[in-house]
Amino acid sequence: MDLAASARIIAAAHRDTPGGLLPALHAVQDALGHVPPAAVPGIAEEFNLSRAEVHGVLTYYHHFRSTAPAPRVLQVCRAEACQAMGADALLAHAQQRLGCGLHGRSADGGVTLEAAYCLGLCASSPAVMLNDEVHARMTPERLDELLGTEVPA
């Protein structure tokens, strides 16, 4: 079964739920790792929406991906508390070390870099999440260790 057909089956399970589009899109991404563009027409049909409406939801929320992520996904919190505690510098460090910008893949293809808008660790900021594991009080040095890269001299 192709990804579009799988996504449609997943979406169909949510079509009778009031406001079911968002839960459906989350379920598709959880199952497939992303919401493939080819799946949008089928999802739209399940909810009796236009493709543009579904596309608008997908592009409005930064959480949704249209391409499969790398094996590891690093999310750097961009909420205000984390920014106040150095998340901007941490993000810049991550971009430099990985060789990519937000929503990009590391030079070796092993890590996708994304923004998160609150990981719930405001009192222990700045925070990151690597795959599904959160890490608080992150520093550039700790991030290097977490990613398994060398700490610059």
Side-chain angles (χ1 to χ4, degrees), residues 89-114:
L90 186 64
L91 177 60
H93 177 79
Q95 290 173 319
Q96 186 269 327
R97 296 298 283 157
L98 295 172
C100 67
L102 281 173
H103 309 292
R105 282 185 180 229
S106 60
D108 68 1
V111 181
T112 294
L113 181 60
E114 297 180 343

Side-chain angles (χ1 to χ4, degrees), residues 17 54 56 64 78 81 85 87 94-95 104 106-108 115 127 153:
T17 303
V54 174
F64 296 115
R78 305 286 294 132
M85 295 302 291
Q95 290 173 319
S106 60
D108 68 1

Side-chain angles (χ1 to χ4, degrees), residues 6-17 20 23-24 27 46-47:
S6 296
R8 186 170 186 155
I9 291 168
I10 294 165
H14 297 273
R15 79 172 151 233
D16 295 326
T17 303
E46 290 298 328
F47 287 93

